[in-house]
Amino acid sequence: QVQLVESGGGSVQSGGSLRLSCAASGYTYSTNCMSWFRQAPGKEREGITTIYTGPGSTFYADSVKGRFTISQDNAKNTVYLQMNSLKPEDTAMYYCAICTYCSGIHCVRPTTWGQGTQVTVSS
């Protein structure tokens, strides 16, 4: 059984940076793609970036493009989300997920979720 554990969240001022980690344990060899999602209070969960674990291809939502970078360390079974130039509207709970398959940025049928890590950006 695969488990995901996110870490790295915190509180920063507008313009600051954070790096989130998503560590996977268990059977991960069949993972084709992983995504980061976020959910702000009162809003729906939105997918913000996806990485295809084989080729390393990446996709981003317009709201984070140019500011966020998703990457992977296969030796550590970890996916990262580097977040730069943070804005108050980036405040949300951030989750990583393993996807059954992906289409572009879209994570189809997430199979495993982490517990989430809170990111708060103050102006």
Side-chain angles (χ1 to χ4, degrees):
Q1 182 177 355
V2 179
Q3 291 185 324
L4 301 176
V5 177
E6 300 100 334
S7 61
S11 297
V12 297
Q13 291 190 331
S14 182
S17 298
L18 285 172
R19 188 177 81 155
L20 306 184
S21 298
C22 173
S25 61
Y27 183 74
T28 62
Y29 297 107
S30 63
T31 298
N32 294 318
C33 50
M34 294 182 65
S35 295
W36 283 96
F37 292 77
R38 67 184 181 186
Q39 187 167 21
K43 295 188 177 181
E44 292 187 356
R45 186 174 296 187
E46 67 166 326
I48 57 173
T49 182
T50 292
I51 187 166
Y52 289 71
T53 55
S57 305
T58 58
F59 295 84
Y60 298 91
D62 288 344
S63 58
V64 305
K65 195 175 296 181
R67 301 187 299 121
F68 291 11
T69 303
I70 188 171
S71 62
Q72 60 184 354
D73 184 333
N74 292 331
K76 296 182 178 180
N77 282 340
T78 300
V79 171
Y80 301 99
L81 182 63
Q82 178 67 43
M83 306 186 295
N84 298 327
S85 302
L86 283 162
K87 306 174 182 180
E89 50 264 44
D90 294 318
T91 295
M93 186 70 80
Y94 284 71
Y95 302 88
C96 60
I98 292 175
C99 314
T100 303
Y101 66 94
C102 295
S103 176
I105 192 177
H106 301 292
C107 172
V108 182
R109 298 181 201 162
T111 58
T112 305
W113 293 92
Q115 82 288 351
T117 186
Q118 177 67 38
V119 171
T120 302
V121 185
S122 58
S123 58

